[in-house]
């Protein structure tokens, strides 16, 4: 009996499990493969050779064995990057090479030396540091061109080269005509430089989670506050802790413990609790104090002088509520009644009438609550918070030892309770997991 071989109509089914090999009557058998190595199956049937790889450059600190992590950043098909997260630093790759700083001209009058080691001289002070990595193009030594090197600075406009840890020697080489004759440093951002915060060291990179929204990438790690990486151009990136419109807080207190603030607006407002609730690990987080808004502030009423709510009618510096927000009247502009446009803004000042009419100015104060960033731990009953620079004005009704409130909360993100370990973008909001919170970042 002759052998019978089945006809493979296409390879679109990809590799199938060995348990399926006997299912010759199934259509998937006719499009499947037992093994597919160094090929990519295409949905319309054929199989194509897999693309190859090309060496670009060594990773940052690659000679030392320090790990890096590569993360994609894709704004569009034409604007896509690979981010190289290294030890407290980030470098960027695009279009098959490293993103470079503005090039510096190599001196035309002093070409690279024919010596051991080879010395490069630039036209002006280069501003580089020993250990920086650079890329050379169009120099008068052909073997240097289109290569990455690590440098050792020997002067304001001179440096020598290392390639894979070995000093570059040009003895025996010949000079050629100069081309572009430039050198450019690999662009990177580093923790603590130019206000960048990049807290992750090389041992922590695998625990990073991220989510991208246009030119912004949100980065979380269970040991650090959430961060935001922002792109302005190829060589203009910033990384900083997320500045929330309102920080996420844990559930509001339901116990008998009370807290009061020494000041509603100070950069050094003392928060005093009636029981032990604070720890040193809460420094860097936030504390929120609330009032019972309905009991403190009358509701804003349209087309009224509000003389029932305020003796003699509402006046400058009086406060009202609308929705969950508190507003202060800061200018009456000659008007005698409130307008018809209710205050609903959550920052700054807006009027309650159409433009061009005499109207009351209402300035947003708070949401019936305020918060400050915990800067100093004194003891389990006392911390000092910055409200002026890092918070929202605390309600006056909870300022002072006789006005302590049970309505307080501690921020969800701090060293005491942990930081999120997962992140997603949902309808313009920043969602995180473990601990749970969702807030819109600024």
């Amino acid at each position: 009996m002759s052998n019978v071989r089945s006809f493979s109509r296409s390879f679109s089914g990809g590799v199938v499990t060995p348990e399926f090999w006997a299912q010759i009557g199934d259509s998937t058998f006719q499009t499947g493969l037992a093994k597919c190595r160094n090929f990519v199956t295409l949905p319309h049937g054929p199989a194509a050779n897999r693309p190859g790889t090309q060496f670009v450059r060594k990773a940052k600190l690659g000679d030392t064995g320090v790990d890096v992590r590569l993360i994609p950043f894709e704004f569009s098909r034409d604007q896509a990057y690979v981010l190289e997260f290294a030890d407290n630093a980030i470098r960027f790759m695009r279009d098959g090479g490293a993103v470079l700083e503005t090039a510096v001209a190599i001196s035309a009058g002093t070409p690279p030396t024919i010596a051991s080691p080879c010395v490069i001289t630039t036209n002006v002070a280069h501003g580089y540091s020993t250990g920086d990595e650079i890329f050379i193009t169009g120099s008068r030594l052909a073997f240097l061109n289109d290569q990455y090197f690590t440098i050792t600075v020997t002067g304001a406009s001179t440096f020598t080269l290392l390639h894979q840890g070995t000093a570059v020697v040009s003895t025996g080489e010949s000079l050629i005509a100069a081309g572009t004759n430039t050198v450019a440093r690999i662009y990177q951002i580093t923790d603590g430089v130019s206000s960048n915060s990049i807290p992750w060291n090389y041992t922590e990179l695998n625990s990073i989670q991220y989510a991208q929204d246009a030119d912004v990438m949100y980065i979380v790690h269970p040991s650090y506050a959430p961060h935001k990486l922002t792109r302005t151009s190829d060589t203009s990136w910033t990384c900083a802790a997320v500045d929330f419109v309102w920080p996420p807080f844990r559930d509001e207190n339901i116990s008998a413990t009370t807290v009061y603030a020494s000041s509603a607006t100070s950069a050094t407002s003392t928060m005093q609790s009636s029981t032990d609730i604070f720890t040193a690990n809460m420094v860097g987080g936030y504390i929120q104090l609330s009032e019972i808004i309905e009991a403190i502030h009358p509701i804003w009423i349209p087309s009224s002088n509000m003389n029932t709510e305020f003796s003699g009618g509402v006046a400058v510096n009086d406060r009202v509520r609308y929705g969950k927000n508190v507003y202060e009247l800061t200018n009456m502009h000659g008007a005698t009644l409130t307008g018809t446009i209710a205050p609903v803004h959550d920052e700054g000042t807006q009027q309650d009438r159409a433009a061009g009419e005499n109207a009351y100015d209402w300035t947003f104060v708070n949401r019936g609550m305020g918060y400050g960033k915990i800067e100093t731990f004194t003891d389990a009953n006392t911390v000092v918070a910055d409200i002026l620079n890092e918070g929202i004005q605390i309600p006056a009704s909870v300022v002072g030892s006789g006005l302590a409130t049970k309505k307080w909360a501690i921020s969800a993100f701090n060293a005491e309770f942990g930081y999120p370990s997962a992140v997603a973008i949902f309808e313009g909001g920043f969602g995180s997991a473990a601990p749970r919170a969702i807030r819109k970042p600024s």
Side-chain angles (χ1 to χ4, degrees):
M1 177 180 288
S2 61
N3 291 331
V4 177
R5 296 183 180 274
S6 58
F7 173 63
S8 294
R9 294 173 294 181
S10 81
F11 303 114
S12 60
V15 176
V16 297
T17 177
E19 286 82 358
F20 201 80
W21 291 354
Q23 305 299 320
I24 60 175
D26 194 292
S27 61
T28 305
F29 179 86
Q30 296 295 330
T31 61
L33 294 161
K35 180 183 291 186
C36 184
R37 179 175 296 169
N38 292 326
F39 284 89
V40 177
T41 60
L42 303 176
H44 51 288
N49 287 329
R50 68 163 177 83
T53 58
Q54 177 181 342
F55 177 79
V56 177
R57 59 171 174 78
K58 69 180 182 68
K60 184 175 176 64
L61 301 179
D63 294 334
T64 66
V66 172
D67 290 335
V68 301
R69 182 175 174 186
L70 303 181
I71 292 177
F73 185 103
E74 186 172 356
F75 178 79
S76 67
R77 291 185 64 182
D78 298 326
Q79 300 180 55
Y81 303 81
V82 174
L83 311 181
E84 180 190 2
F85 281 71
D87 197 27
N88 303 107
I90 306 173
R91 302 200 297 188
F92 309 87
M93 290 179 283
R94 180 179 179 183
D95 298 333
V99 172
L100 304 173
E101 296 178 357
T102 301
V104 176
I106 297 173
S107 174
T110 309
T113 60
I114 307 298
S116 175
C118 176
V119 178
I120 305 296
T121 303
T122 55
N123 267 345
V124 296
H126 46 64
Y128 299 159
S129 300
T130 295
D132 286 346
E133 293 184 55
I134 54 92
F135 186 74
I136 294 177
T137 55
S139 78
R140 295 192 62 188
L141 279 178
F143 82 101
L144 298 180
N145 295 333
D146 302 322
Q147 300 280 347
Y148 295 96
F149 301 95
T150 303
I151 66 170
T152 300
V153 172
T154 57
S157 59
T158 59
F159 54 83
T160 58
L161 307 172
L162 293 174
H163 184 65
Q164 297 182 354
T166 302
V168 173
V169 175
S170 56
T171 305
E173 300 289 337
S174 300
L175 296 176
I176 62 174
T180 52
N181 205 32
T182 61
V183 58
R185 179 166 53 182
I186 293 179
Y187 174 72
Q188 70 175 19
I189 57 176
T190 307
D191 186 44
V193 178
S194 299
S195 300
N196 284 300
S197 171
I198 306 172
W200 317 284
N201 65 47
Y202 72 94
T203 66
E204 300 167 321
L205 298 178
N206 286 337
S207 297
I208 284 176
Q209 297 292 322
Y210 57 90
Q212 185 185 344
D213 182 19
D215 272 325
V216 174
M217 176 176 283
Y218 296 98
I219 304 167
V220 297
H221 186 284
S223 298
Y224 301 99
H227 277 60
K228 179 171 70 173
L229 177 67
T230 304
R231 179 195 75 143
T232 303
S233 69
D234 277 359
T235 54
S236 181
W237 297 70
T238 58
C239 189
V242 172
D243 182 16
F244 291 98
V245 172
W246 197 283
F249 285 89
R250 294 167 64 84
D251 291 340
E252 192 171 71
N253 170 61
I254 58 173
S255 73
T257 298
T258 61
V259 178
Y260 70 86
S262 66
S263 168
T265 59
S266 170
T268 55
S269 181
T270 299
M271 303 288 172
Q272 188 74 41
S273 68
S274 61
T275 61
D276 295 350
I277 62 170
F278 300 121
T279 71
N281 284 334
M282 293 180 183
V283 172
Y286 297 85
I287 181 169
Q288 172 183 281
L289 302 186
S290 306
E291 64 184 358
I292 302 174
I293 184 174
E294 295 81 5
I296 303 297
H297 305 292
I299 192 170
W300 177 88
I301 301 173
S303 304
S304 170
N305 66 3
M306 300 186 66
N307 58 7
T308 301
E309 291 74 22
F310 298 96
S311 177
V314 66
V316 171
N317 297 329
D318 285 338
R319 294 182 177 183
V320 300
R321 62 182 166 88
Y322 195 83
K324 294 295 185 180
N325 294 340
V326 176
Y327 301 95
E328 182 174 302
L329 180 57
T330 52
N331 198 320
M332 301 177 73
H333 294 290
T336 58
L337 300 175
T338 59
T340 57
I341 302 174
V344 294
H345 52 289
D346 57 10
E347 62 180 1
T349 300
Q350 291 187 14
Q351 296 188 334
D352 59 9
R353 291 183 188 272
E357 301 180 28
N358 289 342
Y360 290 176
D361 285 350
W362 295 101
T363 298
F364 174 78
V365 178
N366 56 41
R367 303 176 183 177
M369 61 183 71
Y371 68 89
K373 185 175 183 179
I374 300 173
E375 300 286 0
T376 305
F377 170 77
T378 304
D379 56 46
N381 299 96
T382 312
V383 293
V384 178
D386 182 355
I387 303 169
L388 178 65
N389 304 302
E390 300 283 356
I392 296 290
Q393 181 175 339
I394 299 288
S397 60
V398 298
V399 175
S401 58
L403 298 172
T405 179
K406 295 179 183 178
K407 294 171 66 64
W408 56 267
I410 302 296
S411 60
F413 301 159
N414 54 47
E416 179 69 17
F417 302 120
Y419 297 96
S421 55
V423 61
I425 304 298
F426 179 71
E427 295 184 353
F430 169 94
S432 65
R436 183 181 66 233
I438 185 163
R439 284 292 187 274
K440 184 177 181 181
S442 59

